Amino acid sequence: MNNASPLILALGLLLAPVCIASAATPSSSAVARQDSLAPVLVTAPQWEQMRQQVRRYPLLAGEAQRAERRVRAMMEAGIDVPAPRDKGGGYTHEQHKRNYQAIHAAGALYRLSGDQAYADFVRDMLLRYADLYPTLGPHPQGRGQIPGRLFWQTLNDSVWLVTAVQGYDAVREAIDPASRERIDTQVFRRMAEFLAGAPENFDKIHNHATWAVAATGMTGYVLRDRSYVDRALMGTQRDGEAGFLKQVDQLFSPDGYYEEGPYYQRYALAPFILFANAIERNDPQRGIFRHRDGVLLKAVDALVQSSYGGYFFPINDAILDKGLDTEELVAGIGIAYAQTGDARLLSIAEQQGRVLLSPEGLRVARALAEGEARPFDYRPQLLRDGPDGTEGGLAILRMGGENGQTLVMKNTKQGMGHGHFDKLNWLFYDNGQRVVTDYGAARFLNIEAKAGGIYLPENSSWARQTIAHNTLVVNEQSHFGGDWKKGQALAPTPLLFDITDDTQIASARMDDAYAGVRFTRTQVLLSHPALGEPVVLDLLRVEGDEPARYDLPLHFNGHIMDVGFEARSAVTTRPLLGKANGYQHVWIDASSEPSADARSLTWLLDGRFYTYRFASTAPSRAMIGESGANDPAFNLRREPMLLQRVDGQASTTFYGVLEPHGRYDGTAETVRGANSRIDRIAHHRGADADVLVLHLDGGKTVALGVADDPAADAAHEVSGDGQQWHWQGGWKRFDTSTGEDVK
Amino acid sequence: MNNASPLILALGLLLAPVCIASAATPSSSAVARQDSLAPVLVTAPQWEQMRQQVRRYPLLAGEAQRAERRVRAMMEAGIDVPAPRDKGGGYTHEQHKRNYQAIHAAGALYRLSGDQAYADFVRDMLLRYADLYPTLGPHPQGRGQIPGRLFWQTLNDSVWLVTAVQGYDAVREAIDPASRERIDTQVFRRMAEFLAGAPENFDKIHNHATWAVAATGMTGYVLRDRSYVDRALMGTQRDGEAGFLKQVDQLFSPDGYYEEGPYYQRYALAPFILFANAIERNDPQRGIFRHRDGVLLKAVDALVQSSYGGYFFPINDAILDKGLDTEELVAGIGIAYAQTGDARLLSIAEQQGRVLLSPEGLRVARALAEGEARPFDYRPQLLRDGPDGTEGGLAILRMGGENGQTLVMKNTKQGMGHGHFDKLNWLFYDNGQRVVTDYGAARFLNIEAKAGGIYLPENSSWARQTIAHNTLVVNEQSHFGGDWKKGQALAPTPLLFDITDDTQIASARMDDAYAGVRFTRTQVLLSHPALGEPVVLDLLRVEGDEPARYDLPLHFNGHIMDVGFEARSAVTTRPLLGKANGYQHVWIDASSEPSADARSLTWLLDGRFYTYRFASTAPSRAMIGESGANDPAFNLRREPMLLQRVDGQASTTFYGVLEPHGRYDGTAETVRGANSRIDRIAHHRGADADVLVLHLDGGKTVALGVADDPAADAAHEVSGDGQQWHWQGGWKRFDTSTGEDVK
């Protein structure tokens, strides 16, 4: 038997009041004798290495101390395994969550300290679960989806099992046989059977199912029960039509994009990565991390790429404050780094300030302590969607580095039940801020006063509706009539995606979001020496079979500085924008008469001005509104929006430019560049192409030609304002000085 | 002649691309020969010491580098002294601002580098002013107050002079006699005469006048013209009825509070402190920093005390983003530290990250580099108002350190034309956030699109009105009928101010804010082991001669989680709260029927919950509203408010408790303490005293007795709910466990 080394002891004393006892740790000979009990999710030699090095690296030492404080406090408070009763955020919900976290942490602490008290604590708590669990039926608050046992939804039961089984694995050989037998059968087998016994959840291609298969498969490794592992990998029928491998194939695109979007990618990532790590440890011959050209590792990279200022792009149902520091991505970064040794991941780990209390966490903590971190490489890219990469994609344009300009164009497929009706929607970030916004989800996660923390009614009535996004609404209806199953079958068609030094362009076409309506959108991030910052060009061409009402909303963040158009203000009675499909949630503050002239709106956000110039080929009205109507429970945030409306046309083209400019410094009381550097925007249409022209302050112009056909070989010609533009291919940029003719 | 030392040269090279030339610096013998030209605002030996040490301390070296970059850029761009034309934020306004900053910086750089180019730059620019200035009449945008010459208001002309004369002082002996003569007479004398020639500004007891006298007095020292100094110190009549000394006596209270409040105290501080420093240097026998028991230094301390999270309490006309890092307070901290050596000031300088490019800045930078900073001591205190400290005061209660709880009770006098009509108003901070808020000023400083950056019409129609604050409104009128001159004569009467470990209390009475109405308010910051955080108790007793409408608004920051009372929601048409005095700017979202039962409202802010329980002795309605109605130009921020309304009573008592509780952690998806730990609040009235009782979760109670008479010797008795409370003195706290009787 090895005792803790004198160094560790000394460090343990230095780290008082946290004290890791010097009791005996399991010897490798004991492990050898009890092979069916040895830990398998982290091996005994790995634990031993961690035990020797845990105090050496600040980040890991901090994790151990935090875990120790938390577990010690729970040991002192006494075990509490309440009968399930509450929804998310309620007492029993939160207590069962604390319990699985404690089981996980106590298991690790047992291995790191050798203190039997931790193993006993895990045993005693699990024996209480062994008493409780077999008595449970469906959770009293269960609803909609399959109810859980310990929690209101099965999903949380799966998370309980994924987490707790890791702690149990660490202490299983330190528990007396009778208790172990009882815990094996009454807790872990019953839980795994409950999950695997519900194919309507387990066999889905969906993140809830990923948690369920990970829980079952990891339990299978720990209990040495291959049937659980097989069902986890191949589905309840073990035919590969469901289960983990199918999920990896179906839920990620070849670029690692997860069809529900980054918020759920983050959530789904944990079971994918944790279970893959368990598979790699126990079935290394599968080469799970090389599966599909390494798609699981690509998924970690894609998730980090899908963020700005530390927060994920909040497309689809997404809570705005979720970002890189979530525990799921701590696991993702740790495991991906252990697989790849990619030093760029370390800078994300540094930002997270957390590591796994695992061999992977040790590697990250050591590499960070040794100064190996390199900056993460945020880059413009198209993340293709769909298992074959053929169902649209998320276009990310970036200039100016991490806190510069980021344009996100959502040309992805529907993304299942959490998808929003927002084909060809866009978001824009600048100066570290959300400038053109997505509402995200209407939900206060785990806050009991807000419907128990689940999705609020306003998530359906507002957040998912097309009007709550920055894309085309036809006749006040949402895309696909608001039916996600219809949307699931129809993805946008990506057209252009090109990146040059001063021009980044993405475009896509959407057919049949509305019957008989096709719309094509091109978005460009464009820099120019005469402009302070890169600007966004937007060109949205809609062609319909019949005259219709076309609405194009822009949800922006900031305080309005200047309304650059005539509008009737609704200052004492604000009308509603409409009656349904989200329109009932918008108050109108001001609206203009129809006109085809370009208008502008300027707002201020965090010391920077944003001027949006916009127009349409057919006369449009402009309206300014705010969310928050028909919201008796104060569930919505109140946020401003601009709306362009074209009535009674079958086809029209909306175009605009969004320009960040200037700097307001409240401390120094100085203002620079409060005026836009764009004099006007013009649009010209040729036979098969459009040209947008920006007339810049000082006389220069920059024009952008966009052809209907993205093919590289076709020639195009557009003329207007006494000028002609010729080019070959899907797009072309033309820069001119004053008076200079374009050939 | 001394050359720059090799060390300085070497450091200069190391600091490339910033390069300070090695040209000759003025020798002390040259200085002696030209005594009437020697610098007086910073002496030649002081400049010499700075020259030797400027590179030694990072903060000061940074200032020098910044100044050099800025001035070099302006030297390259060429001198630009435009004819005055624009309002604040406009081009000519900002250019004249950049110019005085450049003159100031170039003067210092000349002394630090000995490079004649800086002196020539100052000379050339000032010669341009010598051409322009004599031709100027009133500024074309001048309005209201006395128009300036270079700027739309005289105030900015004064600031020009205060700043530029410091730069001129540094280079004056390096300018040829003819140019010097021309600059002396055509710029500085003319400007000083313009300011001192307008007694309607110069002789006011007001911060605009302080800038004017400082400008004139500092010019007097530099030009060796005693008449300017005398007029600056004693007023245009030189009788001491006006001028700097009178301003010091009249504008600060004995505690260093400035009657307009912290926002203007910050602005006014610079000329007070800069001119005092010039007086100390040139007329040390005056002992200006010891004047009135050191009130100028107390003013610096009081200003820092009047802040939370780095931002000043935004009472009266105040821009919310002004705080400790403003350049005026950089000057204040530097000069105060040079006078006192108080190491607590250094931690503020550290936060500022800036120092003066002056001997005082050198001292601060050196002390910081040597690790001498000590934490600033934020403490509960009453800052008495009025020249004799007898006209009310600002009560500041604090628990839990710098980011803990801070309650500000505004029992000050009116504060002249920038004062708001908000007697006995309160603000509350917690967890680093503004929780109970003050709108501050309706103004976008220097933003041309917003009325040229001046106060907006909504500053009068909303921000100053009583309804925009958290205090009593009678019959929908503002205090003093909205006439600040009436308010100026009437200050609240402070009653209690006591600080103990677990209870901090302040109270005051206001008579004649409304004819025939007296109201008394008591506010308490109270901690208790059964509560997560200290809570605020509020007791507002109003006695009127006639039945009236009594409104008590609460402006809060956060998203409503739970409306704990029945209310009719206005979800499709929001009525206005009223027609005038700010009421026209409020939309009503929900309103209840009258009741005397206590109600509650819970909101969430930055992960913490706030539950406000409130009631009144007479039946009241509760309404929830939002600012932003009748605002066609989008000048207002839209912020939520709660309103209690008692109708048709001559007297009533409002009481409530605000409880911060719990923690929502979005990253970890955990919620703790989402439920209030207070079961209910009760109020009992005796013959001459009130008792508020909090019934805490778990059965304990805490009661607070408050007597009408704050005197320490009177005995009081209140009974209710089968209990009796006896005490002697102005207030008493009673803590009981379950069932225990209060004697």
Side-chain angles (χ1 to χ4, degrees), chain A residues 427-708:
Chain A
L427 290 75
F428 182 63
Y429 297 88
D430 174 56
N431 190 31
Q433 301 288 325
R434 304 161 57 237
V435 178
V436 172
T437 61
D438 190 310
Y439 190 89
R443 179 183 190 184
F444 293 88
L445 194 68
N446 283 344
I447 292 184
E448 210 164 359
K450 291 295 193 190
I454 63 169
Y455 287 101
L456 294 166
E458 290 77 10
N459 195 56
S460 298
S461 65
W462 169 251
R464 286 182 183 165
Q465 299 291 334
T466 307
I467 188 68
H469 298 85
N470 310 300
T471 190
L472 182 74
V473 195
V474 181
N475 291 329
E476 304 192 13
Q477 306 287 315
S478 283
H479 297 172
F480 313 116
D483 179 347
W484 72 264
K485 286 175 183 158
K486 281 192 191 149
Q488 198 64 14
L490 295 164
T493 306
L495 302 174
L496 296 168
F497 188 83
D498 251 350
I499 304 297
T500 73
D501 279 353
D502 61 5
T503 313
Q504 301 187 1
I505 188 166
S507 69
R509 190 182 70 243
M510 187 66 213
D511 299 331
D512 298 319
Y514 299 98
V517 177
R518 300 155 298 285
F519 62 106
T520 305
R521 190 170 210 169
T522 305
Q523 297 205 299
V524 186
L525 196 56
L526 177 152
S527 67
H528 188 284
L531 294 167
E533 306 287 339
V535 299
V536 177
L537 289 183
D538 183 31
L539 178 71
L540 192 156
R541 207 154 56 80
V542 51
E543 295 171 289
D545 297 341
E546 293 173 14
R549 164 167 287 184
Y550 293 125
D551 284 345
L552 185 61
L554 184 87
H555 299 267
F556 61 92
N557 184 15
H559 194 121
I560 293 175
M561 288 293 109
D562 188 42
V563 179
F565 54 93
E566 290 285 320
R568 229 176 18 260
S569 291
V571 292
T572 58
T573 313
R574 299 206 285 182
L576 298 179
L577 181 62
K579 291 188 184 313
N581 304 321
Y583 280 65
Q584 74 277 22
H585 288 301
V586 178
W587 304 107
I588 304 277
D589 282 309
S591 66
S592 78
E593 291 301 308
S595 161
D597 293 342
R599 302 180 172 97
S600 73
L601 182 75
T602 299
W603 65 88
L604 177 67
L605 174 64
D606 193 35
R608 189 166 281 177
F609 298 89
Y610 296 88
T611 293
Y612 182 54
R613 295 173 188 283
F614 56 99
S616 51
T617 52
S620 66
R621 291 177 191 274
M623 291 180 249
I624 296 173
E626 191 185 41
S627 57
N630 272 300
D631 178 26
F634 299 93
N635 284 341
L636 291 176
R637 297 190 307 274
R638 294 167 176 192
E639 297 180 340
M641 67 182 286
L642 173 72
L643 187 77
Q644 283 178 269
R645 169 169 289 176
V646 171
D647 265 321
Q649 303 284 330
S651 298
T652 191
T653 296
F654 294 97
Y655 57 96
V657 56
L658 175 63
E659 176 195 8
H661 57 98
R663 167 108 202 105
Y664 169 68
D665 182 336
T667 296
E669 300 194 356
T670 56
V671 175
R672 276 160 209 238
N675 296 320
S676 161
R677 296 196 199 170
I678 298 176
D679 287 338
R680 67 185 181 94
I681 182 171
H683 168 262
H684 306 287
R685 175 73 188 168
D688 60 0
D690 298 272
V691 166
L692 284 183
V693 187
L694 299 183
H695 295 266
L696 306 181
D697 189 25
K700 292 189 175 174
T701 66
V702 54
L704 200 97
V706 179
D708 298 351

Side-chain angles (χ1 to χ4, degrees), chain A residues 56 60 150 156 179 189 273 275 293 374 511 543 615 719:
Chain A
R56 217 176 275 173
L60 193 66
L150 292 171
N156 300 88
S179 299
R189 284 191 179 277
I273 289 285
F275 189 31
D293 201 19
R374 295 290 167 270
D511 299 331
E543 295 171 289
S719 59

Side-chain angles (χ1 to χ4, degrees), chain B residues 296-619:
Chain B
L296 287 174
L297 300 173
K298 284 184 184 172
V300 174
D301 183 75
L303 182 54
V304 180
Q305 296 285 356
S306 303
S307 73
Y308 184 92
Y311 295 98
F312 299 126
F313 305 149
I315 54 174
N316 295 331
D317 283 347
I319 308 285
L320 297 188
D321 63 6
K322 283 288 175 185
L324 301 180
D325 61 351
T326 48
E327 56 186 25
E328 296 90 348
L329 194 53
V330 171
I333 293 289
I335 292 172
Y337 178 70
Q339 291 297 324
T340 63
D342 181 350
R344 304 170 320 143
L345 298 172
L346 295 173
S347 65
I348 304 300
E350 197 157 37
Q351 234 177 297
Q352 293 171 332
R354 302 291 304 263
V355 291
L356 289 172
L357 199 50
S358 79
E360 294 77 19
L362 171 61
R363 279 200 59 176
V364 169
R366 181 168 52 210
L368 279 175
E370 290 169 357
E372 291 180 14
R374 296 290 167 270
F376 189 82
D377 173 31
Y378 291 97
R379 58 189 184 280
Q381 62 194 281
L382 177 65
L383 294 171
R384 291 169 296 162
D385 195 1
D388 303 315
T390 56
E391 297 174 79
L394 191 73
I396 306 172
L397 308 182
R398 289 189 187 262
M399 285 187 179
E402 205 171 328
N403 281 314
Q405 294 71 40
T406 296
L407 189 160
V408 182
M409 191 175 175
K410 191 184 182 236
N411 305 332
T412 63
K413 59 191 285 208
Q414 179 67 26
M416 303 190 284
H418 288 300
H420 286 195
F421 302 102
D422 61 349
K423 302 291 102 178
L424 316 195
N425 185 35
W426 67 297
L427 289 76
F428 182 62
Y429 298 88
D430 174 57
N431 190 31
Q433 301 290 326
R434 303 160 57 237
V435 177
V436 173
T437 61
D438 190 309
Y439 189 89
R443 179 183 191 185
F444 292 88
L445 195 68
N446 283 343
I447 291 184
E448 211 164 358
K450 292 296 194 189
I454 64 169
Y455 287 102
L456 295 165
E458 290 76 12
N459 195 55
S460 298
S461 65
W462 169 251
R464 285 182 183 164
Q465 299 292 335
T466 307
I467 189 69
H469 299 85
N470 310 300
T471 189
L472 183 73
V473 195
V474 180
N475 292 328
E476 304 192 13
Q477 305 287 316
S478 283
H479 298 172
F480 312 117
D483 179 346
W484 73 265
K485 286 176 183 158
K486 280 191 191 150
Q488 198 64 12
L490 295 163
T493 307
L495 302 173
L496 295 168
F497 189 84
D498 250 351
I499 304 297
T500 72
D501 280 353
D502 61 6
T503 313
Q504 301 186 2
I505 188 166
S507 69
R509 190 181 70 243
M510 187 67 211
D511 301 329
D512 298 319
Y514 299 99
V517 176
R518 300 156 297 286
F519 63 103
T520 306
R521 190 170 210 171
T522 305
Q523 298 205 298
V524 186
L525 197 55
L526 177 153
S527 68
H528 188 285
L531 293 167
E533 306 288 340
V535 299
V536 176
L537 290 183
D538 183 31
L539 178 72
L540 192 157
R541 206 153 57 81
V542 49
E543 295 170 287
D545 296 342
E546 291 175 14
R549 164 169 288 186
Y550 292 125
D551 284 346
L552 185 61
L554 184 86
H555 299 267
F556 61 93
N557 185 16
H559 194 121
I560 293 175
M561 289 292 112
D562 188 45
V563 178
F565 54 91
E566 290 285 320
R568 227 178 18 261
S569 291
V571 292
T572 59
T573 313
R574 299 205 286 183
L576 298 179
L577 182 61
K579 290 189 185 313
N581 305 319
Y583 281 65
Q584 74 277 23
H585 288 302
V586 179
W587 303 106
I588 304 278
D589 282 309
S591 66
S592 77
E593 292 301 308
S595 160
D597 293 341
R599 301 179 172 100
S600 72
L601 183 74
T602 299
W603 65 88
L604 176 67
L605 173 65
D606 192 35
R608 188 166 283 177
F609 298 90
Y610 296 88
T611 293
Y612 181 54
R613 296 174 186 281
F614 56 98
S616 51
T617 53

